[in-house]
Amino acid sequence: MGYKIIVDSSANLQVLPGPAEFASVPLKIIAGDREFVDDRDLDVEQMVESLRTYKGKSGTACPGVADWLEAFGDAEGILCITITSNLSGSWNAARLAKEDYESQYPDRQVFVIDTLSTGGEMQLLARKAQELLGTGIAFGDVCRHTEAYLQKTGLMFSLESLRNLANNGRVSPVTAKLAGVLGIRVVGKASDRGTLEPTDKCRGERKALQTLLSRMKEQGYQGGRMVIDHCMNETAALQLKGLVTQDFPNADIAVGQTRGLCSFYAEQGGMIIGYEKG
Ligand code: X90
C-alpha cells in the first residue's frame, strides 16, 4: 500500500522521513503583481525583505482543490494535516479534494485533520503519524490516533507586529493595536476555536520568553517535544530553547525557521511554538 502524509506549507515542514511518503502543499503570498509560492525553493529572507519595503496591499491564498489532488498523486492511504479552518480555506479545499478522490477511487482512503492551529503543532502531528505508521497498525487507526494527539499538543506565539494579520482580517484591529509599539511583544496561543488568543503583552524579548515558558507549563508542558520556529530571530529561538532546557534538561526541542506563509503573518522577529502538553 502507498501511504502519504500531506501538510500545507503553514506547517513550516518540507521533508519528513518515515514509512509514508511526504509532501507539503504550498500556500501563496501575494504583493501587488508579485507572487511568492511557499515551496522549498522560496527564499524566505528575500521575501520578508521585499515585503518590508512594499507599500501596497499584500495577502495570501490557500491551496485549491486541484493543488491537494495533485499532491495526492496515486497514494492509496492519504492523511492531510491542515492549518485552522477558522483562518484559512485550506482545510475546506482538502476536504473537497478528498470527496473527489474517493469517488474516483472507491478503494482509496483520505483523512483530513483540521488542526485548529498551524506551524509546529502541525509538525508534531505529522511526525506522530509517521511513528504510528511504523508500528504497523491499520491506516485508519493511524489517522484517528494522530487526530486524538491534538488534545495533547498546543501552539503559542510571540509577535512584534500584527499588521499583516489585521490587514487581512485574521485578527481584529483592537487585537492588532496590542502590538506595534517598539519593544512590545504580544504573546498568545491558538484558541480552542483555532483563532489567535493573545494572553500577554510583554515589554522586551526576555520577558516574552519567560512568559512563553510559564504559559506552556501552565498548559501542562513537562519536557516533551517542542518545535520553535522563528522569523529571522534565531537568537530568541535559541534563548527560549536554553530557558526550557534549564527546567527540562531532556526536552526534545527542534529549532527551525518559519517558511513563507508563517513568515508573512508572524513577521520579522516573530516566533511560533508547537509543544506537547504532557
Ligand atoms: O488561506 C490563507 O490565505 C492563509 C491564512 C492564514 C492566516 C493565519 C496564519 C497565522 C500564522 C501567526 C501566529 C500563530 C497563530 C495561530 C492561530 C491558530 C502565524
Side-chain angles (χ1 to χ4, degrees):
M1 282 286 272
Y3 297 113
K4 196 158 181 180
I5 296 168
I6 310 175
V7 296
D8 62 51
S9 67
S10 74
N12 304 315
L13 190 64
Q14 289 295 335
V15 279
L16 182 68
E21 230 189 303
F22 175 79
S24 168
V25 180
L27 285 95
K28 286 175 185 149
I29 296 86
I30 299 142
D33 51 15
R34 288 203 66 179
E35 187 179 273
F36 302 91
V37 179
D38 191 13
D39 60 17
R40 74 174 70 193
D41 297 329
L42 177 67
D43 183 337
V44 176
E45 290 195 10
Q46 187 241 305
M47 181 196 85
V48 171
E49 181 54 29
S50 80
L51 286 172
R52 207 171 55 78
T53 50
Y54 177 73
K55 293 283 173 278
K57 253 177 86 90
S58 55
T60 57
C62 69
V65 179
D67 301 311
W68 281 103
L69 280 172
E70 190 189 323
F72 291 178
D74 59 0
E76 290 145 296
I78 296 162
L79 173 59
C80 304
I81 301 174
T82 79
I83 185 172
T84 170
S85 64
N86 265 316
L87 297 177
S88 170
S90 183
W91 171 78
N92 196 50
R95 217 173 40 96
L96 294 171
K98 163 194 162 74
E99 280 173 22
D100 231 62
Y101 197 75
E102 287 179 345
S103 63
Q104 207 181 331
Y105 307 105
D107 55 339
R108 301 185 187 177
Q109 267 183 310
V110 183
F111 290 79
V112 181
I113 300 178
D114 176 2
T115 63
L116 297 173
S117 183
T118 189
E121 192 171 2
M122 291 170 68
Q123 290 180 40
L124 291 175
L125 257 71
R127 201 162 135 197
K128 178 64 82 184
Q130 286 284 35
E131 287 167 2
L132 286 166
L133 209 49
T135 68
I137 60 171
F139 186 65
D141 291 330
V142 167
C143 298
R144 278 182 283 276
H145 289 315
T146 302
E147 187 159 29
Y149 179 56
L150 268 181
Q151 303 307 314
K152 297 187 188 141
T153 56
L155 189 87
M156 300 265 336
F157 56 81
S158 167
L159 304 175
E160 288 181 31
S161 163
L162 279 69
R163 196 184 319 120
N164 284 340
L165 283 161
N167 285 345
N168 287 281
R170 262 68 184 202
V171 298
S172 74
V174 179
T175 305
K177 285 225 174 63
L178 291 173
V181 177
L182 206 65
I184 296 292
R185 281 155 187 79
V186 175
V187 167
K189 61 177 181 180
S191 73
D192 295 341
R193 294 179 43 242
T195 54
L196 277 86
E197 184 176 324
T199 53
D200 303 86
K201 205 173 149 173
C202 301
R203 197 170 295 276
E205 193 86 88
R206 184 94 204 143
K207 186 82 186 101
L209 300 178
Q210 285 163 347
T211 304
L212 282 166
L213 177 56
S214 68
R215 290 282 178 201
M216 287 190 277
K217 288 205 278 194
E218 236 172 63
Q219 293 290 313
Y221 181 72
Q222 285 172 21
R225 290 179 179 174
M226 185 180 289
V227 179
I228 307 172
D229 288 328
H230 64 88
C231 181
M232 295 161 75
N233 194 0
E234 190 179 31
T235 310
L238 293 175
Q239 278 170 350
L240 179 60
K241 179 177 175 171
L243 267 185
V244 177
T245 312
Q246 275 173 26
D247 279 8
F248 306 102
N250 298 318
D252 172 357
I253 307 173
V255 173
Q257 281 172 285
T258 51
R259 298 297 303 162
L261 190 277
C262 284
S263 295
F264 176 76
Y265 286 107
E267 300 187 46
Q268 199 162 338
M271 279 195 290
I272 307 177
I273 303 116
Y275 66 99
E276 287 185 333
K277 290 179 172 171

